[in-house]
Amino acid sequence: MIEIGLIIAEQVLLHVPLLLGGYISFSLLRVPDLSLESAYISGAFCASLMLPMLVGLPQGIALLILLLTSLVGGALVGLTSSELTRHAHLSHLLSSIITVGIFFGLNQYIAGTTYISLTGQLNPLIVNLIPRHPELLLLGLISLLVVCFVYGIRRTQLGYALAVFGNNPAFFEHYGINGNYVFIIGLVISNALAGLSGYLVAQTTGFSEINMGIGKALLCITALILGKTIVRRGMSASMLEPIVGCVSYFALQQLLLKVGFNLKYFTTVQALVVLTILILSYRKTHKKIDNLGV
């Protein structure tokens, strides 16, 4: 049981940045941001390409550079999709789909391959306090910093502006304020966090692969809806929902694995969980769920 708990904890910590990025996109801004999947891959690829250049540097400096590189890699995806929406006047769903296509080829072109092995290279996440999970301590520290960062944003004018945009995008135009910048900043932060999560997963598993982001948007939606269902909320509960949802998601995954379920079918389980919760919620309240966190 202790080992299962450690596995769940590691998976949660690896995906906390992604979930909080999805929280900003899906819950605060309320936009269908499929580009999170591409940001996840871009963050992993950018950091993986940077890794061989850091040989000989102190572990802390190398880790800081890799984290910043993955954040920038994800942020570029968010900037691209948001600028397409802004300048090409496309729906953001279409912009994010186009962005996924652009970066799918771009990442392969820059890397020169669809697969980057990190085996045998520097792993700055390792701190040998827990033998079978040597990255767990630094993963916990990074996730704590990300949670504090997003919580801090939620308490600032930017955080309130993101929530206002999600509830009423026309609010800013009514007062002569350009809401595009709120939209762009929100998506850049959201995708940067997804890129960070991509690097953490790549470093822990020992490889980056061009298809590693497939299904990550559905993961975010599933976890956010699970969190919304479990946490009985006031506004103060909104930051708890992605975290509780993330823990529930990976606990469910481990439970199914324990009973012999083949995880290659887990995407189907995710979709059915989301569908069931939405149908039951609608029958109970007779209202459509139009947001996932706020």
Side-chain angles (χ1 to χ4, degrees):
M1 286 299 293
I2 293 176
E3 181 62 22
I4 293 176
L6 290 173
I7 292 172
I8 293 172
E10 184 174 53
Q11 289 300 312
V12 168
L13 294 175
L14 286 170
H15 290 87
V16 160
L18 173 67
L19 261 295
L20 292 178
Y23 170 73
I24 292 172
S25 291
F26 296 126
S27 296
L28 293 184
L29 292 173
R30 297 193 191 181
V31 293
D33 191 25
L34 298 183
S35 59
L36 283 172
E37 298 187 351
S38 193
Y40 183 88
I41 299 168
S42 294
F45 265 56
C46 288
S48 298
L49 292 173
M50 177 64 70
L51 191 58
M53 305 176 193
L54 304 180
V55 176
L57 289 180
Q59 180 179 354
I61 294 176
L63 179 59
L64 180 60
I65 292 173
L66 289 168
L67 295 179
L68 291 174
T69 302
S70 64
L71 287 167
V72 170
L76 288 174
V77 176
L79 182 62
T80 302
S81 66
S82 58
E83 288 292 344
L84 281 175
T85 300
R86 178 187 176 197
H87 291 294
H89 305 290
L90 304 174
S91 69
H92 190 68
L93 178 59
L94 181 55
S95 296
S96 63
I97 291 172
I98 292 172
T99 300
V100 169
I102 292 172
F103 278 88
F104 187 82
L106 189 60
N107 284 324
Q108 293 180 77
Y109 177 76
I110 293 173
T113 180
T114 61
Y115 180 92
I116 303 174
S117 175
L118 305 184
T119 304
Q121 297 193 48
L122 169 72
N123 185 348
L125 291 175
I126 289 180
V127 178
N128 288 310
L129 289 180
I130 305 176
R132 296 188 64 178
H133 302 273
E135 300 101 341
L136 197 61
L137 182 63
L138 281 179
L139 288 176
L141 178 59
I142 292 167
S143 293
L144 178 61
L145 291 174
V146 170
V147 170
C148 291
F149 171 72
V150 176
Y151 179 78
I153 285 179
R154 286 286 282 120
R155 308 287 290 182
T156 65
Q157 289 185 348
L158 173 60
Y160 291 118
L162 293 173
V164 168
F165 183 94
N167 283 281
N168 182 14
F171 172 86
F172 297 96
E173 296 178 9
H174 182 73
Y175 287 96
I177 303 171
N178 192 338
N180 285 326
Y181 295 107
V182 175
F183 174 72
I184 292 170
I185 291 171
L187 286 179
V188 166
I189 294 173
S190 170
N191 283 258
L193 293 176
L196 172 59
S197 198
Y199 160 64
L200 296 178
V201 171
Q203 186 72 81
T204 304
T205 57
F207 67 92
S208 299
E209 200 268 326
I210 195 64
N211 293 312
M212 64 187 291
I214 292 176
K216 295 305 178 183
L218 180 58
L219 185 159
C220 289
I221 292 171
T222 306
L224 287 169
I225 288 179
L226 281 172
K228 183 179 177 66
T229 303
I230 294 169
V231 177
R232 296 304 173 192
R233 46 172 289 172
M235 279 299 292
S236 60
S238 61
M239 271 294 292
L240 282 176
E241 289 168 3
I243 306 300
V244 171
C246 187
V247 174
S248 304
Y249 176 93
F250 287 106
L252 174 62
Q253 189 180 74
Q254 288 301 313
L255 176 62
L256 291 175
L257 191 61
K258 192 72 174 176
V259 299
F261 183 81
N262 191 331
L263 287 185
K264 72 179 182 179
Y265 304 118
F266 189 65
T267 302
T268 302
V269 174
Q270 291 177 245
L272 291 175
V273 167
V274 171
L275 181 61
T276 301
I277 292 174
L278 292 178
I279 290 174
L280 292 176
S281 176
Y282 178 76
R283 289 187 174 182
K284 182 178 179 181
T285 63
H286 298 289
K287 293 180 181 179
K288 293 181 180 179
I289 293 180
D290 61 352
N291 62 311
L292 298 171
V294 176

